Amino acid sequence: DAKTTQPPSMDCAEGRAANLPCNHSTISGNEYVYWYRQIHSQGPQYIIHGLKNNETNEMASLIITEDRKSSTLILPHATLRDTAVYYCIVRVASGGFKTIFGAGTRLFVKA
Amino acid sequence: SAVISQKPSRDICQRGTSLTIQCQVDSQVTMMFWYRQQPGQSLTLIATANQGSEATYESGFVIDKFPISRPNLTFSTLTVSNMSPEDSSIYLCSVGTVPNQPQHFGDGTRLSIL
């Protein structure tokens, strides 16, 4: 699976959009981009995933560049409860589809 | 998504002892995984629990230390053997159904070794 690079930490003001970047320059054509988050004392929570098209759900939007070498997770109106570690993961969608975690980005949402 | 229950949710154990952690899912799943999260760190995959056969371990993890069972499609156990303080971590169970869909995680077992 391709390696991802994320900033170690970011701040965001409550009510503003949080834009979390991820670099995955070695991604292969059959690899999906997944985003999870982990709030303190809980297991990782799935947020969104995509292959090459932009995706949106009730939690967030995922923007993947045309060359697929990077992506951005957008939380449109961050709240204090969005303070968490966010993980960007690239994973092949076939065979033994285990998920390997990197260090992630620690997002602090401030009032 | 599947509901994942882990038991116990937390425990404090003496060094040299062993503890078995249970993972129960409310529906049949194809894949089950066990992860470790050391204090302040990200998650590390220990092994893939294979139904009816031996688990597949990642580099750095061995069956003698972390024996795993998976008797059916909804249940798995992870044993942490001969524990030392370095084994103090959160141990998480995760499940997956089809390859292009996300894995889901339980809330983990917090283990402290004295």
Side-chain angles (χ1 to χ4, degrees):
Chain A
D1 293 332
K3 179 179 171 59
T4 62
T5 303
Q6 298 178 251
S9 66
M10 295 182 62
D11 290 343
C12 179
E14 188 178 23
R16 303 299 293 269
N19 297 282
L20 292 90
C22 179
N23 181 284
H24 32 80
S25 58
T26 61
I27 192 170
S28 300
N30 64 345
E31 289 181 314
Y32 282 72
V33 180
Y34 289 82
W35 284 83
Y36 289 81
R37 73 180 182 184
Q38 188 174 26
I39 297 170
H40 184 61
S41 299
Q42 298 181 19
Q45 176 190 24
Y46 164 75
I47 301 173
I48 198 167
H49 75 288
L51 183 61
K52 54 183 177 181
N53 297 322
N54 297 338
E55 302 287 345
T56 296
N57 62 20
E58 65 280 2
M59 290 182 66
S61 294
L62 172 61
I63 308 299
I64 303 174
T65 58
E66 191 169 343
D67 63 7
R68 303 210 321 123
K69 293 185 176 181
S70 66
S71 61
T72 301
L73 178 74
I74 302 172
L75 308 178
H77 305 286
T79 70
L80 298 179
R81 288 175 294 188
D82 292 322
T83 292
V85 179
Y86 287 77
Y87 297 99
C88 169
I89 294 157
V90 171
R91 195 190 83 191
V92 64
S94 63
F97 45 97
K98 58 190 179 183
T99 296
I100 304 299
F101 285 78
T105 295
R106 187 171 295 274
L107 176 68
F108 296 94
V109 181
K110 300 182 177 181
Chain B
S1 62
V3 176
I4 303 165
S5 302
Q6 277 188 239
K7 292 181 180 180
S9 59
R10 60 178 65 234
D11 207 341
I12 301 172
C13 300
Q14 298 295 320
R15 68 177 67 201
T17 63
S18 298
L19 179 74
T20 295
I21 301 168
Q22 299 180 358
C23 177
Q24 178 74 56
V25 192
D26 69 343
S27 58
Q28 293 186 342
V29 293
T30 308
M31 308 291 285
M32 296 184 78
F33 306 90
W34 287 98
Y35 289 80
R36 179 177 74 182
Q37 188 170 29
Q38 295 176 300
Q41 303 296 314
S42 181
L43 285 78
T44 301
L45 179 64
I46 298 173
T48 302
N50 300 309
Q51 193 251 332
S53 65
E54 193 171 286
T56 303
Y57 289 85
E58 298 297 308
S59 175
F61 297 95
V62 295
I63 187 171
D64 289 347
K65 177 66 175 178
F66 298 102
I68 289 170
S69 77
R70 188 179 173 192
N72 56 52
L73 294 176
T74 64
F75 185 78
S76 177
T77 66
L78 168 73
T79 299
V80 186
S81 303
N82 188 25
M83 290 183 286
S84 67
E86 292 72 35
D87 294 319
S88 296
S89 296
I90 301 173
Y91 292 86
L92 298 107
C93 174
S94 176
V95 304
T97 51
V98 294
N100 64 347
Q101 292 300 310
Q103 286 177 226
H104 295 280
F105 291 79
D107 280 337
T109 296
R110 289 181 176 275
L111 185 57
S112 297
I113 314 304
L114 302 178

